């Protein structure tokens, strides 16, 4: 029944339909119409009611569905099993568990909200419902443990591809952040299990701030974080960045397997946020200022410490500060 009411309002999206007309078409009382309106609102439909005018549909809920996502993916890609959750502590934790229980390569875990979203270095990832994309990809590549961290750079390039297609070009901050202007809009957290040499599985977690508004961010990150919506000045259906990212990742992953990170180097270089900036690097517990001179074909940061004649390749570390 709520579905038929939805259909009537959708036919006239943008204008009011009187309660009387709805009641007549559905063969129910005006009070029953009101009950159904309330139930649709509870499902996230934005229905405006105005005395004398009736009801108007202003917006439909932005929900993920497997059918909605599959309709936007190309056939033949690696994504073959989807888990959609309303809420979980962390999609990375779910995907790691599923991996241990034998879930296949190409499993995608997506949640509307996270109660314990994790960022790098034990930071929390702000994950309210209805606003953003939180996903984890389970991969079982035949690569060494040393090569595995490059996959999160691959994800970064794919994410930048996806957002560029949507008209929201971003930059990549080594190793795992996507920036829009001088604020972070997305982050990647890769976790893996490996045997002494080969990777058993790797989970690539991606958080994209899609429709966050300024007051959705907690004060401690308010001046540093942004969203696609804030950058572009309009909201996005969340399935769009999600589907575009999955398509782009499928392509970039193939390129990586065939040619290593070097095959994606152009995709990184033209969006390198840090290149030429002075940065404070933390590695192996030490902090050091220097200049970021790009990323090499292995995905290592080329870092020239202050006073040093040449840059060295840094495979793992964190940029704590950078000059704006
Ligand atoms: C970072 O920038 O520090 C990485 C953030 C990664 C957040 C995503 S959201 C989906 C997945 N689940 C998590 O708990 N974390 C990642």
């Amino acid at each position: 029944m709520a579905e038929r009411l939805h259909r009537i309002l959708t036919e006239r999206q943008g204008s009011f339909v009187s309660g009387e007309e709805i009641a007549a078409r559905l063969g129910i009382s005006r009070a029953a119409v009101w009950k159904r309106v309330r139930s649709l609102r509870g499902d996230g439909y934005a229905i405006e009611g105005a005395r004398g005018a009736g009801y108007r549909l202003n917006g439909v809920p932005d929900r993920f569905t497997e059918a909605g996502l599959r309709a936007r993916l190309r056939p033949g890609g690696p994504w073959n099993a989807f888990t959609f959750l309303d809420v979980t502590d962390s999609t990375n934790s779910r995907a790691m568990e599923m991996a241990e229980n034998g879930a296949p390569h190409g499993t995608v875990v997506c949640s509307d909200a996270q109660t314990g979203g994790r960022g790098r270095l034990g930071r929390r990832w702000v994950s309210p419902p209805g606003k953003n994309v939180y996903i984890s990809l389970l991969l079982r590549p035949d690569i060494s443990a040393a090569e595995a961290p490059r996959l999160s750079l691959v994800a970064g390039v794919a994410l930048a591809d996806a957002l560029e297609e949507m008209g929201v070009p971003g930059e990549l901050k080594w190793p795992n952040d996507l920036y829009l202007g001088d604020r972070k809009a997305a982050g990647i957290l890769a976790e893996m299990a490996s045997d002494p040499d080969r990777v058993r599985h790797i989970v690539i977690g991606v958080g994209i701030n899609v429709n966050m508004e300024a007051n959705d961010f907690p004060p401690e990150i308010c001046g540093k974080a942004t969203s696609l919506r804030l950058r572009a000045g309009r909201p996005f259906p969340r399935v769009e960045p999600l589907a575009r990212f999955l398509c782009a990742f499928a392509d970039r992953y193939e390129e990586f397997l065939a040619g290593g990170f070097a095959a994606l180097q152009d995709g990184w270089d033209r969006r390198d946020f840090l290149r030429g900036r002075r940065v404070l690097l933390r590695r192996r517990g030490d902090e050091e200022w220097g200049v970021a001179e790009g990323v090499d074909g292995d995905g290592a940061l080329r870092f020239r410490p202050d006073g040093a004649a040449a840059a060295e390749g840094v495979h793992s570390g964190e940029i704590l500060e950078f000059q704006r």
Side-chain angles (χ1 to χ4, degrees):
M1 256 310 190
E3 218 167 79
R4 286 175 62 201
L5 168 58
H6 174 219
R7 210 170 314 135
I8 292 172
L9 293 173
T10 309
E11 281 167 12
R12 307 258 200 92
Q13 195 149 11
S15 41
F16 283 95
V17 187
S18 73
E20 216 172 356
E21 180 184 335
I22 298 171
R25 287 179 66 180
L26 295 181
I28 56 175
S29 68
R30 299 275 299 271
V33 170
W34 164 238
K35 262 200 191 151
R36 268 161 217 166
V37 166
R38 228 177 30 193
S39 138
L40 280 179
R41 281 182 180 153
D43 286 343
Y45 290 81
I47 299 174
E48 187 182 341
R51 200 179 291 276
Y55 301 100
R56 178 166 71 180
L57 181 63
N58 291 333
V60 296
D62 182 18
R63 290 248 165 86
F64 294 115
T65 62
E66 181 163 343
L69 179 58
R70 278 194 189 276
R72 287 170 175 259
L73 298 179
R74 286 189 302 268
W79 312 120
N80 50 47
F82 296 92
T83 297
F84 289 93
L85 303 166
D86 285 335
V87 64
T88 188
D89 53 352
S90 156
T91 55
N92 266 32
S93 303
R94 289 294 74 66
M96 287 298 273
E97 266 169 29
M98 290 165 75
E100 294 296 346
N101 292 325
H105 171 82
T107 295
V108 179
V109 182
C110 173
S111 189
D112 186 51
Q114 296 183 119
T115 53
R118 298 198 301 272
R120 281 165 60 83
L121 304 175
R123 294 186 189 124
R124 121 184 133 101
W125 188 258
V126 177
S127 310
K131 295 267 172 178
N132 302 316
V133 168
Y134 319 111
I135 50 160
S136 297
L137 314 178
L138 164 56
L139 306 170
R140 296 185 182 279
D142 183 17
I143 58 174
S144 69
E147 289 169 290
R150 294 174 203 167
L151 276 173
S152 59
L153 277 73
V154 173
V157 173
L159 189 53
D161 290 343
L163 302 191
E164 200 168 277
E165 286 169 15
M166 293 168 57
V168 197
E171 289 182 298
L172 294 164
K173 175 173 165 278
W174 185 92
N176 286 128
D177 297 340
L178 186 131
Y179 271 62
L180 297 176
D182 60 0
R183 289 174 185 219
K184 178 165 164 172
I188 296 163
L189 177 68
E191 296 177 301
M192 71 164 164
S194 60
D195 292 325
D197 184 34
R198 308 309 279 178
V199 164
R200 258 191 293 141
H201 55 258
I202 178 160
V203 165
I204 311 269
V206 183
I208 313 171
N209 295 335
V210 181
N211 289 322
M212 293 282 266
E213 297 188 74
N215 56 10
D216 292 323
F217 291 108
E220 65 274 15
I221 57 166
C222 190
K224 299 186 208 158
T226 190
S227 68
L228 306 192
R229 177 183 193 144
L230 288 169
R231 182 70 175 172
R234 68 175 177 96
F236 293 87
R238 288 179 293 164
V239 70
E240 192 181 348
L242 172 56
R244 288 186 191 275
F245 168 68
L246 291 177
C247 291
F249 187 90
D251 293 343
R252 293 299 197 172
Y253 182 68
E254 287 304 317
E255 285 173 37
F256 171 74
L257 292 182
F261 183 74
L264 283 73
Q265 180 114 36
D266 287 351
W268 184 284
D269 286 352
R270 68 188 178 83
R271 298 155 170 150
D272 190 336
F273 180 78
L274 293 178
R275 185 187 277 263
R277 292 191 199 233
R278 288 200 75 235
V279 299
L280 177 62
L281 171 73
R282 178 157 75 201
R283 58 176 161 170
R284 298 187 294 267
D286 287 336
E287 294 179 13
E288 197 173 9
W289 278 96
V291 176
E293 296 190 342
V295 168
D296 70 18
D298 288 334
L301 176 72
R302 295 182 49 71
F303 173 73
R304 183 164 53 81
D306 283 353
E312 48 191 277
V314 177
H315 288 272
S316 103
E318 192 70 22
I319 301 300
L320 299 176
E321 284 181 44
F322 54 84
Q323 252 177 8
R324 289 180 185 268

